[in-house]
Amino acid sequence: MHTDSAKSGFSSMFNGKDLTGWIGDPNLWQVEDGVLVGRTTEDLNYNDFLRTEKEYANFILYGETCLRGSNSGIQFRSLVQEDGHMAGYQADIGDGCWGALYEEMLRGHLVHYRPELIESILHFEDWNQYQIVAVEDYILQILNGVVTAELNDPDGARSGFIGLQIHSGPPQEVAFRNLCIKEL
């Protein structure tokens, strides 16, 4: 069930009813019981993204995600290529990559997965909380209350779209709820 958890000073990014404010393939992305769900029922041979209509620069993003599959991510400060693929920062979600900071289609891993940190805090196939802070060239990721990535990146993008990924591969499902943002 949808709960509007826009924290004080934050704006909800999702109305809990439909994909208003988002751009993506409605065959892969739906709203179910107030939750954004990306689902494949057959092998997918490309990464797919549900992205915001609006670009963001400096912000704090909060959201919860539940992965029943192998890989997903939250894109931020990303651009959209002609084929719809997103390129830019990604807060990684998935086996062997939770909490990592990846740059999709560009420089690759910027902060690697740290199993000794992640495995004790991760809720497998259940809801996990993500916070992403992006201010000028500073990036901070917090997973379930633990800092998993921190980086000063003068070469990184300073603004772009926010996107939710469903990764190529076998059938899987990823869900997002309580997405809210505070622009700085």
Side-chain angles (χ1 to χ4, degrees):
M1 176 170 233
H2 174 68
T3 56
D4 186 5
S5 88
K7 298 174 179 307
S8 179
F10 283 70
S11 300
S12 181
M13 298 182 71
F14 170 58
N15 67 17
K17 300 176 200 156
D18 57 36
L19 298 178
T20 299
W22 295 86
I23 297 170
D25 183 345
N27 294 314
L28 298 177
W29 295 95
Q30 290 115 32
V31 178
E32 297 176 3
D33 296 324
V35 174
L36 279 171
V37 178
R39 181 183 299 116
T40 56
T41 55
E42 299 176 353
D43 285 359
L44 189 66
N45 61 4
Y46 59 92
N47 292 343
D48 191 80
F49 301 88
L50 179 70
R51 71 164 175 90
T52 57
E53 292 177 348
K54 178 182 174 182
E55 292 189 47
Y56 296 89
N58 296 319
F59 58 84
I60 302 169
L61 172 73
Y62 173 85
E64 297 172 28
T65 184
C66 180
L67 177 65
R68 291 186 176 92
S70 60
N71 193 291
S72 181
I74 301 171
Q75 295 289 136
F76 59 99
R77 288 186 171 176
S78 294
L79 57 86
V80 179
Q81 299 176 327
E82 284 185 24
D83 63 2
H85 200 97
M86 295 188 82
Y89 290 119
Q90 182 185 103
D92 235 331
I93 297 169
D95 299 338
C97 62
W98 277 99
L101 176 59
Y102 186 74
E103 197 177 39
E104 180 88 6
M105 302 292 292
L106 298 169
R107 297 175 288 171
H109 283 102
L110 302 176
V111 177
H112 289 273
Y113 171 69
R114 298 180 357 209
E116 71 285 354
L117 180 66
I118 302 301
E119 290 180 6
S120 64
I121 63 164
L122 191 64
H123 309 291
F124 290 95
E125 294 195 357
D126 202 353
W127 292 101
N128 291 277
Q129 298 176 355
Y130 240 130
Q131 288 175 290
I132 301 165
V133 178
V135 180
E136 301 304 329
D137 66 355
Y138 178 73
I139 305 295
L140 177 72
Q141 288 180 188
I142 302 167
L143 178 64
N144 293 331
V146 174
V147 173
T148 62
E150 186 173 19
L151 180 68
N152 285 307
D153 188 17
D155 297 328
R158 296 292 176 97
S159 68
F161 297 100
I162 292 172
L164 310 175
Q165 181 193 62
I166 190 162
H167 205 279
S168 62
Q172 59 184 311
E173 176 181 302
V174 63
F176 297 89
R177 69 182 184 192
N178 299 325
L179 292 171
C180 56
I181 195 163
K182 181 177 189 173
E183 293 186 78
L184 306 172

